[in-house]
Amino acid sequence: WAASPSLDKQTKPKVMEIGISMSIPPWVIKENDQGIELDILRASLDQDVYHIKPVYLPFERAYKLFDAGMLDAVMNATASVASKGYLSEPVVTFQNYAISLAAKNFSTDISMSFLNDKSVAGFQKAKHLLGKEYALMAAKNERYQEVVKQDLQVNLLFIRELYFIVMDKSIFGYHWHQSTQNTDYTPAMSQRFYQEVRFHPLFKPSPYPFLFKDKALRDDFNRGLAAIKADGRYQQVLDNYDYLSDLYKQSRSQ
């Protein structure tokens, strides 16, 4: 596959600024501008044509800048929040769970309405991204909150002992592992991160496309994404980060 022939590869690569809602390891790792999604983006677009520039900022701010024409793309968009631009084919699939401490002894098989009167911390924009039933729960629940930094969700679960956090299992595994390595915590506090948790499967898998300002750029990306899926490079990117996806389970079993 090659980029659109209308783009002159002899010129300086075009800077493509993509809005990213903070760091969401292992999907996006801000510290080194890597992660599953950034690697897929770079593999799908000709690097002689496009220079990818991640712009890390809160979700709401990213959409405001995108709508104002100040960003070329936004990562992890949905039709429900995209008022402008062109959505790509689905790029990655998140698997969100409601997560509780096992000591709370909640049944694994709970309903969404079970959360109505419980303390719940979701990620930013979760009530817009996780379906109508979740949005209704969030609207009814006076103890519902959303936080920008997902490491804070893990802290709220293990330290503050909120009833539930809602997040992707891979993201949870990464931040849980990071918390166990944090030397700023006292030994007693560090030990609290080793409490057993329970994953409640309330959500269907969530496929996420990217949102592009320019149709030609979106089409270039779609062609490249299809190509790396066909030749195995897409799966190779996933495999490169596979060790991060279940760190909680791996560490608990040691």
Side-chain angles (χ1 to χ4, degrees):
W1 169 83
S4 170
S6 64
L7 296 167
D8 183 1
K9 293 179 65 173
Q10 302 306 311
T11 61
K12 187 177 180 180
K14 172 182 168 58
V15 175
M16 196 206 89
E17 293 189 323
I18 183 165
I20 302 171
S21 181
M22 300 301 180
S23 187
I24 44 175
W27 304 98
V28 176
I29 302 173
K30 181 180 179 180
E31 289 73 19
N32 56 10
D33 284 338
Q34 292 183 328
I36 293 170
E37 293 187 270
L38 277 170
D39 289 1
I40 289 171
L41 179 63
R42 292 189 179 104
S44 300
L45 290 173
D46 191 326
Q47 297 300 286
D48 290 328
V49 177
Y50 299 106
H51 171 69
I52 310 301
K53 181 181 178 182
V55 180
Y56 300 96
L57 68 177
F59 196 99
E60 302 245 10
R61 178 73 175 153
Y63 272 89
K64 286 181 180 178
L65 291 179
F66 180 86
D67 287 343
M70 299 173 67
L71 289 174
D72 298 295
V74 175
M75 192 170 282
N76 298 338
T78 65
S80 62
V81 295
S83 59
K84 296 182 179 180
Y86 302 88
L87 288 169
S88 73
E89 292 297 319
V91 181
V92 294
T93 300
F94 286 17
Q95 181 59 66
N96 290 293
Y97 287 85
I99 307 170
S100 69
L101 295 177
K104 301 291 187 185
N105 203 30
F106 297 133
S107 170
T108 301
D109 186 23
I110 59 173
S111 65
M112 191 73 72
S113 61
F114 185 77
L115 304 182
N116 283 348
D117 60 349
K118 311 294 191 301
S119 54
V120 180
F123 54 88
Q124 192 178 36
K125 280 281 188 180
K127 60 188 174 186
H128 298 290
L129 296 170
L130 294 180
K132 292 182 180 179
E133 194 177 7
Y134 185 84
L136 183 63
M137 178 280 297
K140 287 182 176 181
N141 189 344
E142 295 181 354
R143 302 172 72 185
Y144 179 79
Q145 62 179 302
E146 292 185 356
V147 297
V148 174
K149 295 186 176 182
Q150 294 199 268
D151 58 340
L152 177 58
Q153 288 179 273
V154 175
N155 187 292
L156 288 171
L157 179 69
F158 287 101
I159 304 299
R160 299 287 296 278
E161 297 195 0
L162 260 68
Y163 283 122
F164 293 96
I165 60 173
V166 174
M167 63 196 308
D168 171 72
K169 193 174 185 179
S170 298
I171 298 173
F172 170 81
Y174 180 91
H175 285 302
W176 174 83
H177 181 73
Q178 293 296 104
S179 296
T180 64
Q181 309 302 306
N182 191 335
T183 57
D184 291 336
Y185 291 128
T186 65
M189 191 171 289
S190 294
Q191 194 59 36
R192 298 182 73 170
F193 287 97
Y194 288 90
Q195 298 176 81
E196 185 179 354
V197 303
R198 193 162 289 168
F199 294 95
H200 306 272
L202 286 176
F203 307 96
K204 295 179 180 179
S206 301
Y208 283 106
F210 294 170
L211 180 65
F212 293 92
K213 178 174 68 175
D214 181 74
K215 184 177 184 295
L217 174 56
R218 189 278 308 272
D219 292 345
D220 265 358
F221 175 75
N222 276 346
R223 283 191 290 269
L225 181 63
I228 67 171
K229 285 185 174 181
D231 67 17
R233 282 181 290 161
Y234 181 93
Q235 186 60 47
Q236 186 177 12
V237 170
L238 297 180
D239 292 344
N240 287 343
Y241 293 90
D242 187 57
Y243 75 99
L244 292 174
S245 65
D246 213 4
L247 281 170
Y248 173 78
K249 182 178 178 181
Q250 291 173 15
S251 299
R252 288 279 306 177
S253 66
Q254 292 177 0

